[in-house]
Amino acid sequence: MTNPPSKLYPSAAAALSGLLADGQTLAVGGFGLCGIPEALIAALRDSGVKNLTVISNNAGVDGFGLGQLLTTRQIRKMISSYVGENKEFERQFLAGELELEFNPQGTLAERLRAGGAGIPAFYVRTGYGTVVAEGKETRQFGEHWYVMETALQADVALVKAWKADTAGNLVFRKTARNFNPACAMAGKVCVAEVEELVEVGAIDPDHVHLPGIYVDRIVVNATPEKRIEQRTTREGVK
């Protein structure tokens, strides 16, 4: 009996090798700058692929996270929820240089979850009677009207976890979990950036947040920058 091939790659660039192509759809985990796969995003930028559609809650901030790919004009379309922290995102969208498919945050999460679960579409009340519902099928159930939303799937998912074992079982740290599990499950191929790698068996099965069956490649980034968007403290507190 032979051992399965290793999921571990020596660098972010190596982990993305052979997976990327112009015009792909990518699902990228994170919420603001919390839980973003920093090294993988930088390697994606350096790869030079373009005309990308990126599914992500937002696009980082100017010059960091997915904001780097806006600067280099590698993103053609964003499927997002929140864009308020990124002036270049706003500028490109208002100038007609960037397509945007806007989603209520819960709807975006459920579209990703549905994509990973093999559910093609679902109905939701959120957005009915607003611009969110324009061009979409609506239907009445009981007293209320609902909007049909379609599932989201990606060619490649890039996610960030705190810890992984060599089989790809992932543990996320607190709020850094956010969209990462849903993105991982919605991707045809998933690459996980982790801070710590342990052997199989070192993680209690009850503590696994995402089973390794969803993870195809792993890269260790033990010292991510973890930049803070807005550091806010009470007046007089140092």
Side-chain angles (χ1 to χ4, degrees):
M1 184 176 179
T2 58
N3 292 325
S6 174
K7 295 184 178 183
L8 181 62
Y9 285 73
S11 67
L16 295 180
S17 178
L19 298 181
L20 302 177
D22 292 348
Q24 283 183 320
T25 296
L26 277 66
V28 183
F31 186 101
L33 297 181
C34 178
I36 64 169
E38 298 176 18
L40 288 172
I41 292 172
L44 178 61
R45 176 202 61 203
D46 294 343
S47 74
V49 291
K50 56 186 183 297
N51 295 324
L52 300 173
T53 295
V54 178
I55 307 164
S56 186
N57 181 66
N58 61 342
V61 297
D62 292 293
F64 195 70
L66 287 171
Q68 298 171 90
L69 276 73
L70 291 176
T71 301
T72 54
R73 303 300 184 92
Q74 290 169 266
I75 299 176
R76 177 186 62 83
K77 177 180 179 179
M78 288 292 305
I79 301 176
S80 297
S81 176
Y82 177 65
V83 300
E85 298 294 332
N86 195 312
K87 290 183 174 59
E88 180 61 15
F89 192 140
E90 178 185 357
R91 190 200 67 75
Q92 289 187 22
F93 173 63
L94 293 177
E97 300 170 3
L98 176 70
E99 292 183 50
L100 172 61
E101 187 176 323
F102 220 24
N103 296 255
Q105 204 162 74
T107 300
L108 180 64
E110 184 65 6
R111 292 183 71 191
L112 284 164
R113 191 199 70 81
I119 299 169
F122 58 92
Y123 287 94
V124 63
R125 285 180 64 188
T126 307
Y128 177 76
T130 73
V131 293
V132 171
E134 289 180 1
K136 298 175 183 177
E137 179 183 323
T138 58
R139 183 173 173 181
Q140 186 173 10
F141 294 93
E143 300 177 358
H144 302 288
W145 281 87
Y146 293 76
V147 181
M148 189 181 79
E149 296 283 359
T150 54
L152 289 171
Q153 293 183 323
D155 298 301
V156 180
L158 307 181
V159 303
K160 164 66 186 299
W162 170 48
K163 183 185 293 187
D165 65 21
T166 53
N169 297 302
L170 301 184
V171 179
F172 301 95
R173 183 164 171 77
K174 300 184 178 181
T175 56
R177 188 186 311 191
N178 52 62
F179 281 83
N180 279 293
C183 285
M185 290 187 286
K188 296 175 183 176
V189 178
C190 174
V191 185
E193 176 181 328
V194 305
E195 295 177 47
E196 183 179 346
L197 186 71
V198 298
E199 293 300 320
V200 173
I203 301 174
D204 186 322
D206 284 339
H207 296 165
V208 171
H209 294 146
L210 184 75
I213 193 170
Y214 292 109
V215 177
D216 300 282
R217 299 185 179 188
I218 304 166
V219 62
V220 176
N221 179 14
T223 56
E225 182 177 344
K226 294 186 179 179
R227 190 181 299 187
I228 296 175
E229 291 171 78
Q230 297 185 20
R231 187 183 298 274
T232 305
T233 60
R234 295 194 308 275
E235 187 174 348
V237 176
K238 295 183 180 179

